[in-house]
Amino acid sequence: MKALDDRAQNLQRESVATELAARVAAIFERYPMLCGFSVRERSTVGKDSAMVQLEGELYLADVSVITLPALRVTREFCNQIAKVLLELMEEEPDVSDLLSGRTFARTVQ
C-alpha cells in the first residue's frame, strides 16, 4: 500500500512540475523582453532586488529584461508575472515547494 501511495504522490508532483514548466514557458512567451526571474524566501532577497510578495515568505525577485534604454523592470511588470504564479499557486498548492529557491531563465536555441 505504501508503494502505491508513493507512486501516486510522485505522479502528482510530476503533474505539478509539468504545469509549472508550462506556466513559466507561457510567461516567457508573453514577455519576449524577459530574461529571467527567481522565486526566493524573503530572508534571501536583497534590498536592491525587484520584488513582489507571492505568498507567505515567497517573493518574486531578480526580474531582468533585455538591456535596452527603453526597457526597465517596473512594479507593474513584476505584478503581471506574479499574477501568473499566484494563479498557479492557488490551483496547485504543492507548487510552492517547487518554486522556492528557483531561478527561471529564458532558454535560447
Side-chain angles (χ1 to χ4, degrees):
M1 188 66 146
K2 172 122 172 67
L4 188 57
D5 288 341
D6 289 346
R7 175 101 169 111
Q9 287 178 346
N10 287 340
L11 287 174
Q12 173 63 21
R13 189 164 179 89
E14 287 177 24
S15 174
V16 171
T18 299
E19 185 61 27
L20 172 59
R23 298 285 177 101
V24 169
I27 290 170
F28 282 109
E29 186 175 313
R30 181 174 181 185
Y31 304 109
M33 76 292 280
L34 179 64
C35 295
F37 62 92
S38 63
V39 176
R40 302 187 343 207
E41 290 186 15
R42 174 69 181 117
S43 62
T44 66
V45 177
K47 290 182 180 180
D48 59 342
S49 295
M51 65 179 167
V52 174
Q53 185 174 10
L54 294 173
E55 178 179 274
E57 289 294 307
L58 288 182
Y59 283 77
L60 173 65
D62 305 315
V63 177
S64 64
V65 294
I66 295 170
T67 307
L68 292 174
L71 292 178
R72 61 185 176 89
V73 176
T74 63
R75 171 69 82 184
E76 182 179 329
F77 182 68
C78 291
N79 284 338
Q80 291 172 0
I81 296 168
K83 181 180 180 217
V84 174
L85 297 174
L86 286 166
E87 287 172 355
L88 178 58
M89 293 168 84
E90 186 176 307
E91 294 168 17
E92 298 284 354
D94 294 339
V95 81
S96 295
D97 294 336
L98 296 176
L99 281 169
S100 183
R102 299 264 314 263
T103 297
F104 300 93
R106 177 177 299 283
T107 55
V108 180
Q109 301 287 327

